Amino acid sequence: MISTNSTGEPALRIENLDKYYGTFHALRGINLSVKRGEKIVVCGPSGSGKSTMIRCINRLEQHNGGRIVVLGTELNDDVGNIDEIRREVGMVFQHFNLFPHMTVLENCVISSMIVRKQPRAQAEATARRYLEKVRIPEQALKYPSQLSGGQQQRVAIARALCMQPQIMLFDEPTSALDPEMVSEVLDVMVTLASEGMTMICVTHEMGFARRVADRVLFMDGGEILEEAPPDEFFTSSATSAPDNSCRRCWAIDWKQRSECVTPHAFRHLHD
Amino acid sequence: MVSLLRNQKVHNALLQVLYVGSIAAMVLAGIVIARRNLADQGITSGFDFLFKSTGWDVNFSLLPATANDPYWWYFLIGIINTLFLGSVGLILATIVGTIVGLARTSSNDLARLLGRTYVDIFRNIPLILQVFFWYAIITHLPTPRSAHEAWGFLLTSRGLYIPFPNVGSAAFAAATVAVIAAIVLPAWLGRTSRLAQPIGQRHTIQFAAAAAALACSAIILALGRLPDTPLLDFPALQGLNLRGGLRIPPEFATLAIAIAIYGGSYIAEIVRGGFKSVGTGQVEAALSLGLSPWRVFTLVRLPLALRAMLPILANQYVWLMKATTMGIAVGLTDFFMIVALTINHSGQTLEAIGILMAGFLAINLSLAAVFNRINKAIALKGNQLRG
Amino acid sequence: MEMVLVAPPAPGRLEDLKRRFFATPLQAVVSLACLTIMVFLVWKLLNWAVFSAVFTTSGGPEACQAAAGACWSVIAARWRIIFFGLYPYEEQWRSALACVAVVVMTVLSCIPAFWTGRRIALVWGAGTGLFYVLMKGGVLGLAHVGEEAWGGLALTLFIFVTTCLIGFPLAICLALLRRSELPWISRTTGLIIDGVRSLPLISILFTFAVVLPFALPQWLQGDKLYRVILGSALFFSAYQAEIVRGGMQGVATGQEEAAMALGMRYWQRISRILLPQAMRNAMPATINQFVISFKETSLVVIVGFFEILASGNAAYGTGEWRFAYVEVYAFIAFIYFIFVFSLSRYGAFLERRMSVSER
Ligand SMILES: Nc1ncnc2c1ncn2[C@@H]1O[C@H](COP(=O)(O)OP(=O)(O)O)[C@@H](O)[C@H]1O
Ligand SMILES: [Mg+2]
């Protein structure tokens, strides 16, 4: 399962990351290093800064302090870098964000064609391959609004993969889905993981975390409070954040429930 | 250097400076060139000309005006003309629009058809064409000698003559204020916070206030009557000309009619939209409380529809104010025409354009302010009825 | 029994009529009043416009003036000036063809198959180009006719089309600038848009026609026609920009984020993701704006152009047709009505269709 590729620069290095929304301190001194091929699962209560952190990685949000180095390139005010980074970092959103005015196939080929400047035939071949992989090749000519939520999210994954990114970010990909559709999306993500993709997933699906994650991060109040391999994370009931008891409760609660209930029961914890 | 340019913050700052700078530079260059060109024609820039006398006449004014008056007085006359024409047009258009709009929401198929025909015809013909049309009609009316007469009104190519009280101008102004008070006072009193009495008594008080104000205006008119004249002065032919009554110049009548008819067709649609937005649920609830249809209309449908309409109506009124500039098509000296004439006669182009912009900005802003006040005052408190 | 339940006896015609128009005394009064007004107006109108009207030029103006009804012979005698203004007589077929080109172009752009940026640009580019070549000539063996000789319907359409052609891209630029994240850019643009919107169109046309030449260097002044078109385009774009911006606000922010995450650059995001969706949202309001702006082209008559309204004034204003102003205005109103009414009906249809498909 653990397929670390420890040669050279890590895929992602975050040092002392700070992020403010106005005066609100959303991320406080985050440190994280992700090796190539590593799978990270991020969890934590709503409003804890998970989305903010993951969005800083492809600069949908600009950070205010610290360093983020993605694939050897530091994210800074240099305007030229950012589009190059974004090509290599795929992102899947909670609400899919498919382009409603394009068919599924067009959704998948548009960025390869206009960003990577691939000819249409090649882009379509790639797109069809990935649609096959997410198991909806037959929906290629439909519009997003004609698909179910699970299908839309799988298209969104295929769309991101079509850019052939080196890192994939997932921001709660299953929390907007009806329970019966969660597994079809998780299955696709598991397959992707087994192929060695570097993944950072914000999710509350513990089954998925146990099966796939190399490390699980627990965040609250803009900080990473705990960071451990899943086995350790789910068995230890003591957190490494002794000061704030309330935060601890949440973490313990989260872990304990994860042992006795199905993952879907946690949907109410998401925003 | 290159790396500095690629820095996003530098990049953003540069873009902003470039954009704002180039616009400012264009405006400044225009002003500089214009000043030079005007100076070549012997026109010195500055606002001194405001105090020179104009040397030309206006054909319509509510204030006394002669060719010796200074420019600033003429601008004031222009603004007042525009506001006056705008208000008259606004009131007439609202009346027309309300009638047609109610016809369009009526349950009677014939009334709806009639309303719809009206809107379809008058909305789809440009206002200026309608202005030309009515102007042609009015100026082709018979001469005073063979004027049409109806109920004391005379329609002639020189204008419309209407009976008018024989009063001094101060008394007339005071009476007008009293009439306005008769409309505003009950509405103001009607706001729940002001009167604690139950509905029935409240209505009595409102009626009393309105009646008192109207009586006031009647008394003012009676007292202010010019000595030895009948109260109402009817226009009548004397020799080749008409004497008596109030003459509405053809230009003013044209614009008032055109704006009323064209604006009315737009307001009718707004009224219809307002009534359509009142949910059937609220009407049914009121009916099931045993209220009579008339009560349901005045207590439920009308107030709710008014609230929905008002923001759109405000825009429409601002538009109507601007439509008075059509006056120049028939030669009515509204604000815009005074500015145009000023440019023609004095050559003070930049200053006049500046005054034009400032004038319309002031009119728009004050209208917007008034409507915001009204909007706030009648907005539903809380959100129980929204959604 | 079964039969009765399935198909209750249809109420008689008379009962139905009674129910619809005479249910209560008030209803009956309203119905009768409306009916009276309608019959009266329709009869008056028909009588004037058809029954007692004169349609032929044979009797000349005098016979026409004597008639009780409308004198349509003024149109028969003067239609060329109304449609073509002062355009040279032998070349007027070109002006007619140019108008047809514009109408075809408008109809084409109402068909959803043409609603991609490229196709609509192609249709409008080709239509306007054709119009310009036909009107101006000087190439392809067509005699040269300067803009000063253009007039009538053709000039009206030309001003309208060029206003939209310049105003529309300008509106999109203004809308984008106004929603810019850079505060000074968005504020300055907001000031320009709100400033233009607070002024009446006539004052802008007047400024561009009469005042602007003072403020421009000689080489930039250009023809008065094009200056006025520019002014009218600026006015159009200030209103249209707010419509486009409204359409953009209707596009979920996630759309742009997704495009960013895929590595698209600013213009790619705008042109491929944001604008197609925003324009779709803004479609009904846009058509409404086109309708308004078509009606407003008639205002150029005030700054001295010989468009259809001015040529209408000329058509009855000279000599023997002076009495026939109502007929001429009615005719011009009818022409405007055809264009404006069909366009606004189309807008209403589109709005209905969109609100149905939006569920
Ligand atoms: N655009 C924003 N402006 C201001 N505050 C924000 C914004 N986005 C997020 N926040 C705040 O930052 C905190 C972290 O948000 P987020 O990263 O979305 O949390 P999570 O994804 O863990 O639920 C929250 O308190 C939220 O209110
Ligand atoms: Mg989140």
Side-chain angles (χ1 to χ4, degrees):
Chain A
M1 178 104 286
I2 299 165
S3 55
T4 34
N5 177 1
S6 54
T7 49
E9 177 80 7
L12 167 68
R13 203 171 74 238
I14 297 178
E15 293 168 8
N16 273 325
L17 178 65
D18 274 312
K19 165 73 188 166
Y20 290 85
Y21 288 113
T23 55
F24 177 70
H25 203 166
L27 293 179
R28 302 161 185 260
I30 302 275
N31 282 296
L32 178 67
S33 181
V34 181
K35 293 195 277 281
R36 285 181 196 262
E38 210 178 2
K39 286 103 192 122
I40 308 285
V41 164
V42 184
C43 60
S46 159
S48 58
K50 309 179 297 291
S51 299
T52 307
M53 181 181 81
I54 205 169
R55 285 158 60 86
C56 280
I57 296 173
N58 65 354
R59 213 171 166 76
L60 289 181
E61 303 286 353
Q62 297 183 13
H63 57 282
N64 309 100
R67 276 158 54 89
I68 304 178
V69 183
V70 182
L71 301 166
T73 313
E74 175 162 7
L75 297 186
N76 52 22
D77 280 339
D78 189 330
V79 271
N81 279 346
I82 183 61
D83 288 325
E84 284 156 32
I85 294 293
R86 283 177 179 157
R87 282 177 213 170
E88 306 300 331
V89 179
M91 180 149 183
V92 176
F93 299 85
Q94 180 177 0
H95 295 287
F96 330 134
N97 295 352
L98 291 177
F99 305 134
H101 58 299
M102 299 178 180
T103 62
V104 165
L105 191 64
E106 282 166 352
N107 260 284
C108 293
V109 298
I110 177 103
S111 51
S112 328
M113 281 172 59
I114 67 176
V115 177
R116 292 231 191 258
K117 310 272 184 250
Q118 286 177 359
R120 177 174 274 275
Q122 186 191 344
E124 276 192 16
T126 319
R128 288 199 183 269
R129 208 171 67 234
Y130 282 113
L131 285 175
E132 195 102 35
K133 189 164 180 165
V134 300
R135 305 187 197 101
I136 34 172
E138 71 285 356
Q139 315 282 11
L141 297 179
K142 287 196 183 166
Y143 282 88
S145 58
Q146 297 167 309
L147 304 183
S148 74
Q151 290 173 323
Q152 290 189 47
Q153 193 60 297
R154 284 184 280 152
V155 172
I157 295 175
R159 177 177 72 176
L161 290 175
C162 281
M163 288 294 287
Q164 285 158 332
Q166 301 185 38
I167 303 178
M168 283 287 284
L169 309 175
F170 294 83
D171 190 358
E172 310 204 23
T174 57
S175 49
L177 297 179
D178 289 337
E180 66 272 18
M181 294 174 183
V182 169
S183 63
E184 62 190 57
V185 172
L186 289 182
D187 286 348
V188 167
M189 289 168 64
V190 170
T191 316
L192 194 60
S194 68
E195 286 166 4
M197 174 66 75
T198 313
M199 291 164 65
I200 302 175
C201 313
V202 175
T203 180
H204 293 128
E205 302 293 344
M206 355 278 130
F208 175 79
R210 281 167 176 280
R211 236 177 110 185
V212 167
D214 296 316
R215 269 184 292 158
V216 179
L217 308 186
F218 177 76
M219 286 184 72
D220 196 6
E223 288 172 287
I224 298 179
L225 296 185
E226 193 173 339
E227 178 177 352
D231 298 337
E232 215 174 292
F233 185 86
F234 288 112
T235 48
S236 77
S237 56
T239 68
S240 55
D243 50 346
N244 191 327
S245 57
C246 192
R247 288 179 189 170
R248 261 180 73 184
C249 296
W250 200 91
I252 295 167
D253 187 37
W254 193 80
K255 289 175 198 171
Q256 282 170 348
R257 286 210 222 170
S258 73
E259 272 135 35
C260 49
V261 225
T262 57
H264 311 319
F266 283 90
R267 285 174 7 89
H268 69 279
L269 292 172
H270 311 176
D271 26 339
Chain B
M1 187 60 207
V2 174
S3 67
L4 202 63
L5 273 181
R6 277 172 58 125
N7 183 298
Q8 199 168 7
K9 294 209 177 84
V10 177
H11 198 246
N12 288 352
L14 220 63
L15 270 181
Q16 302 195 59
V17 169
L18 222 70
Y19 181 70
V20 179
S22 57
I23 286 175
M26 256 156 54
V27 172
L28 271 181
I31 291 178
V32 168
I33 294 174
R35 283 180 66 143
R36 214 183 38 221
N37 283 341
L38 291 170
D40 286 349
Q41 298 181 7
I43 294 159
T44 47
S45 44
F47 286 90
D48 296 340
F49 78 101
L50 284 178
F51 304 98
K52 290 189 195 133
S53 68
T54 56
W56 38 275
D57 271 320
V58 288
N59 63 3
F60 179 81
S61 168
L62 296 177
L63 304 173
T66 66
N68 292 328
D69 286 326
Y71 274 101
W72 67 266
W73 182 246
Y74 267 38
F75 284 126
L76 188 68
I77 288 176
I79 292 241
I80 288 180
N81 282 355
T82 286
L83 286 177
F84 181 65
L85 174 58
S87 324
V88 170
L90 188 148
I91 292 168
L92 292 179
T94 307
I95 294 172
V96 173
T98 310
I99 294 171
V100 177
L102 286 179
R104 289 213 64 185
T105 49
S106 128
S107 58
N108 189 305
D109 289 351
L110 285 173
R112 274 210 308 276
L113 179 66
L114 214 55
R116 185 177 166 168
T117 313
Y118 176 91
V119 170
D120 275 347
I121 290 178
F122 290 105
R123 236 172 106 105
N124 290 320
I125 297 170
L127 176 56
I128 182 117
L129 176 51
Q130 299 191 32
V131 168
F132 276 136
F133 176 78
W134 293 116
Y135 192 59
I137 295 274
I138 291 181
T139 48
H140 283 81
L141 283 172
T143 54
R145 260 198 298 177
S146 46
H148 294 297
E149 192 187 340
W151 307 301
F153 289 70
L154 285 176
L155 308 179
T156 78
S157 58
R158 294 273 197 79
L160 313 182
Y161 289 78
I162 59 172
F164 196 71
N166 254 327
V167 293
S169 50
F172 184 73
T176 312
V177 171
V179 170
I180 293 174
I183 298 167
V184 175
L185 215 58
W188 183 72
L189 286 172
R191 286 177 47 202
T192 41
S193 55
R194 295 235 156 59
L195 290 175
Q197 284 83 353
I199 288 256
Q201 279 183 33
R202 212 155 51 185
H203 282 172
T204 321
I205 296 177
Q206 281 174 317
F207 270 119
L214 282 179
C216 251
S217 87
I219 293 171
I220 293 172
L221 284 183
L223 290 181
R225 169 157 39 133
L226 300 177
D228 308 325
T229 53
L231 185 58
L232 264 188
D233 185 17
F234 284 91
L237 194 63
Q238 264 186 19
L240 285 182
N241 245 323
L242 286 166
R243 284 281 138 73
L246 180 73
R247 170 177 169 263
I248 302 173
E251 293 79 22
F252 189 88
T254 299
L255 280 168
I257 293 172
I259 290 178
I261 290 180
Y262 184 79
S265 72
Y266 271 85
I267 291 178
E269 286 301 274
I270 297 173
V271 170
R272 185 174 76 109
F275 278 105
K276 240 173 79 178
S277 75
V278 179
T280 46
Q282 272 135 16
V283 175
E284 278 162 14
L287 280 172
S288 69
L289 285 175
L291 293 179
S292 70
W294 173 248
R295 278 282 166 111
V296 172
F297 181 80
T298 53
L299 291 179
V300 181
R301 285 185 69 200
L302 186 63
L304 286 176
L306 259 181
R307 287 180 172 90
M309 272 157 18
L310 214 77
I312 317 172
L313 261 187
N315 276 339
Q316 192 60 38
Y317 287 158
V318 170
W319 183 91
L320 276 181
M321 278 292 167
K322 289 194 269 181
T324 56
T325 49
M326 305 268 168
I328 200 169
V330 293
L332 181 87
T333 44
D334 71 319
F335 182 48
F336 171 64
M337 188 164 173
I338 296 229
V339 169
L341 286 174
T342 301
I343 291 177
N344 254 347
H345 288 273
S346 74
Q348 303 285 353
T349 313
L350 291 180
E351 296 81 1
I353 290 290
I355 290 173
L356 175 76
M357 289 184 177
F360 271 104
L361 213 62
I363 292 177
N364 284 348
L365 289 182
S366 38
L367 262 183
V370 168
F371 273 98
N372 276 343
R373 281 295 298 268
I374 299 180
N375 237 342
K376 281 227 186 74
I378 70 165
L380 295 173
K381 310 294 183 287
N383 55 7
Q384 72 278 21
L385 279 175
R386 300 228 178 86
Chain C
M1 280 318 277
E2 287 274 330
M3 280 302 288
V4 176
L5 276 178
V6 172
R13 272 261 163 83
L14 215 61
E15 275 165 61
D16 186 44
L17 221 62
K18 198 173 159 194
R19 189 178 48 75
R20 279 173 63 187
F21 299 112
F22 300 97
T24 63
L26 182 69
Q27 278 272 14
V29 170
V30 172
S31 297
L32 284 178
C34 290
L35 199 66
T36 320
I37 295 174
M38 237 168 347
V39 168
F40 176 75
L41 284 181
V42 168
W43 165 249
K44 273 278 186 193
L45 195 69
L46 277 181
N47 187 35
W48 175 78
V50 183
F51 301 141
S52 349
V54 181
F55 290 92
T56 55
T57 40
S58 55
E62 294 78 21
C64 210
Q65 191 167 12
C71 168
W72 295 120
S73 29
V74 63
I75 308 299
R78 303 299 223 139
W79 64 274
R80 274 177 183 271
I81 197 169
I82 294 177
F83 279 117
F84 308 126
L86 300 177
Y87 208 75
Y89 189 88
E90 313 75 48
E91 308 289 342
Q92 283 176 356
W93 60 272
R94 278 162 51 184
S95 189
L97 218 56
C99 293
V100 172
V102 168
V103 171
V104 169
M105 176 183 94
T106 315
V107 170
L108 282 185
S109 44
C110 287
I111 301 172
F114 286 92
W115 290 353
T116 63
R118 194 168 304 161
R119 283 185 200 162
I120 210 91
L122 198 75
V123 168
W124 277 66
T128 319
L130 188 62
F131 182 97
Y132 189 75
V133 168
L134 276 170
M135 287 299 285
K136 183 121 183 188
V139 287
L140 303 174
L142 298 172
H144 175 271
V145 182
E147 279 90 346
E148 66 286 346
W150 298 9
L153 181 64
L155 184 60
T156 294
L157 290 178
F158 180 68
I159 293 172
F160 171 64
V161 167
T162 41
T163 294
C164 297
L165 210 60
I166 301 169
F168 208 85
L170 190 60
I172 292 174
C173 291
L174 286 176
L176 287 174
L177 287 167
R178 189 165 198 180
R179 73 189 278 288
S180 160
E181 289 163 8
L182 308 178
W184 281 104
I185 291 190
S186 91
R187 262 179 237 158
T188 313
T189 314
L191 204 70
I192 295 174
I193 292 177
D194 292 342
V196 172
R197 280 164 61 99
S198 73
L199 290 174
L201 176 56
I202 294 183
S203 71
I204 290 180
L205 294 181
F206 177 81
T207 307
F208 273 72
V210 179
V211 180
L212 205 59
F214 287 108
L216 288 178
Q218 202 73 46
W219 51 273
L220 248 179
Q221 283 177 8
D223 192 74
K224 181 172 155 195
L225 175 62
Y226 293 104
R227 281 204 311 272
V228 165
I229 288 173
L230 221 58
S232 144
L234 180 69
F235 189 77
F236 172 81
S237 68
Y239 279 82
Q240 181 61 25
E242 290 298 278
I243 294 173
V244 173
R245 192 165 72 110
M248 287 174 179
Q249 276 165 349
V251 179
T253 47
Q255 292 291 311
E256 261 203 287
E257 285 179 354
M260 272 188 216
L262 288 167
M264 294 190 201
R265 291 177 189 287
Y266 180 77
W267 281 113
Q268 296 172 333
R269 296 200 297 268
I270 298 298
S271 63
R272 301 302 187 101
I273 308 302
L274 183 69
L275 275 183
Q277 295 183 55
M279 289 320 302
R280 208 193 101 93
N281 295 344
M283 203 60 179
T286 301
I287 295 207
N288 193 29
Q289 190 55 41
F290 274 104
V291 167
I292 291 174
S293 120
F294 185 73
K295 282 190 284 182
E296 280 175 342
T297 52
S298 52
L299 287 182
V300 299
V301 68
I302 288 179
V303 285
F305 286 103
F306 209 70
E307 50 68 79
I308 191 162
L309 197 46
S311 53
N313 285 341
Y316 80 80
T318 51
E320 65 267 41
W321 295 105
R322 272 183 180 285
F323 61 91
Y325 53 95
V326 174
E327 289 82 353
V328 170
Y329 285 135
F331 184 66
I332 296 171
F334 181 65
I335 295 172
Y336 266 108
F337 184 83
I338 291 173
F339 279 92
V340 176
F341 184 70
S342 41
L343 208 57
S344 60
R345 285 285 94 192
Y346 173 72
F349 157 76
L350 214 61
E351 196 161 3
R352 266 200 312 281
R353 211 188 63 164
M354 277 175 63
S355 67
V356 167
S357 69
E358 226 159 55
R359 282 169 305 173

